[in-house]
Amino acid sequence: MRKPLIIANWKSNPASLKEAAVLARSAEKSAKRFRGVEAVVAPPFPFIPAVSKILRQAKLGAQDAFWSGGPYTGEVSRQQLKNFGVRYVILGHSSRRILGERDDAINKKVKAVLDGGLKAILCVGERKRSGGKGIPTSAILQFKKAVKGVKKSQLKNLVVAYEPVWAISTMPGARPDTPESAERAVKHLRQLLSHIYGQKSVGKTKMLYGGSVNAQNIKSFLVWPEIEGVLVGGASLNAVEFSKIIKNSL
Ligand code: PGA
């Protein structure tokens, strides 16, 4: 049976280490209880050392990584993260793209993270709901640019999260994508990978959906064959809700 991948993206929350520790302990408890789930917690950078001590069964994630160490004020390198036990790095999240992060930077980061032996969670998604049946071109372009130069052998460490921006809970008027449409989009992204790397290699890359996922709707996404997990923002900041998400993903 496949293991759903459930990622908690705390974004720039919570404010204190004390609250972060409460959330991390609760996620760890659920991960231990439901070992059939691969749970990942991605806290803000300052909480990574403390959260790394709490997590055992759940894996540690980061919300970004720079492609190099050295003279880069304010950046955090993949090696620094790796030294604290980070295994997954979220890259190209829409909240960073909206602030100006560009495709070429995202591509460099994806390659650096994969070259460093970490797992890259690449986020792509269109800003406006298109109403059409297929995945919009903007998301396809983001995807193609981000995976440029990624080696076939690295596909097992690549995770792709389809996150339509209009579905992200903090956007005005947000509502989740329908599971049917998310499945179609994810399937399309896998087909693109298969065009680039060949049919045989693409099964190794995990595909996720993200955008207003909660304990109530998670199963409706995970029942689809292509959706192998979810990226959870807002709902991961509520310890009880996130525990239910983990439970309900099985
Ligand atoms: P949301 O965020 O679950 O709060 O919609 C998802 C994300 O931005 O990754």
Side-chain angles (χ1 to χ4, degrees):
M1 212 181 92
R2 69 179 185 175
K3 210 173 179 176
L5 177 59
I6 311 294
I7 300 168
N9 175 12
W10 292 355
K11 306 185 186 176
S12 193
N13 299 291
S16 72
L17 177 57
K18 209 171 151 191
E19 294 162 279
V22 169
L23 285 175
R25 272 190 221 109
S26 168
E28 172 62 15
K29 204 170 145 196
S30 298
K32 276 214 181 90
R33 196 155 158 222
F34 302 102
R35 285 171 193 262
V37 177
E38 171 98 337
V40 178
V41 175
F45 292 136
F47 302 147
I48 281 180
V51 170
S52 81
K53 293 201 182 102
I54 295 170
L55 304 184
R56 287 284 173 275
Q57 182 66 27
K59 305 285 184 302
L60 183 60
Q63 298 172 23
D64 189 31
F66 199 61
W67 55 78
S68 170
Y72 305 101
T73 307
E75 299 293 359
V76 177
S77 76
R78 65 161 193 226
Q79 193 55 46
Q80 290 161 339
L81 295 170
K82 207 173 165 179
N83 291 344
F84 275 100
V86 166
R87 308 270 286 274
Y88 287 83
V89 183
I90 298 171
L91 293 167
H93 192 274
S94 60
S95 53
R96 296 192 53 81
R97 291 181 191 265
I98 285 169
L99 290 174
E101 183 155 80
R102 287 175 25 186
D103 291 310
D104 53 340
I106 294 164
N107 176 242
K108 276 183 168 174
K109 290 176 177 184
V110 167
K111 285 188 289 189
V113 161
L114 293 173
D115 287 346
L118 295 166
K119 291 190 184 271
I121 303 159
L122 165 67
C123 304
V124 300
E126 74 283 3
R127 286 213 194 170
K128 291 212 174 82
R129 193 177 193 136
S130 73
K133 287 256 161 187
I135 178 171
T137 334
S138 58
I140 290 175
L141 280 177
Q142 287 174 354
F143 179 73
K144 283 186 175 163
K145 288 177 183 168
V147 299
K148 214 170 170 190
V150 169
K151 300 178 198 92
K152 203 188 237 189
S153 61
Q154 296 176 322
L155 290 180
K156 62 176 188 305
N157 285 331
L158 178 68
V159 176
V160 178
Y162 171 63
E163 295 209 302
V165 182
W166 48 264
I168 291 178
S169 65
T170 44
M171 299 305 278
R175 62 204 154 99
D177 197 359
T178 64
E180 294 82 351
S181 149
E183 167 77 2
R184 253 197 319 267
V186 162
K187 194 170 179 182
H188 192 128
L189 292 173
R190 200 188 292 284
Q191 279 163 358
L192 285 174
L193 263 192
S194 134
H195 282 308
I196 308 170
Y197 295 99
Q199 185 67 39
K200 276 218 299 248
S201 338
V202 300
K204 294 178 183 137
T205 299
K206 280 223 157 136
M207 299 284 191
L208 318 180
Y209 164 73
S212 296
V213 173
N214 56 36
Q216 240 176 22
N217 65 18
I218 182 162
K219 202 69 196 175
S220 66
F221 289 101
L222 292 181
V223 292
W224 290 84
E226 293 286 344
I227 303 174
E228 301 171 279
V230 290
L231 188 49
V232 187
S236 73
L237 296 171
N238 176 324
V240 175
E241 178 76 8
F242 191 63
S243 296
K244 281 191 197 152
I245 288 178
I246 291 184
K247 180 173 176 229
N248 293 353
S249 69
L250 285 175

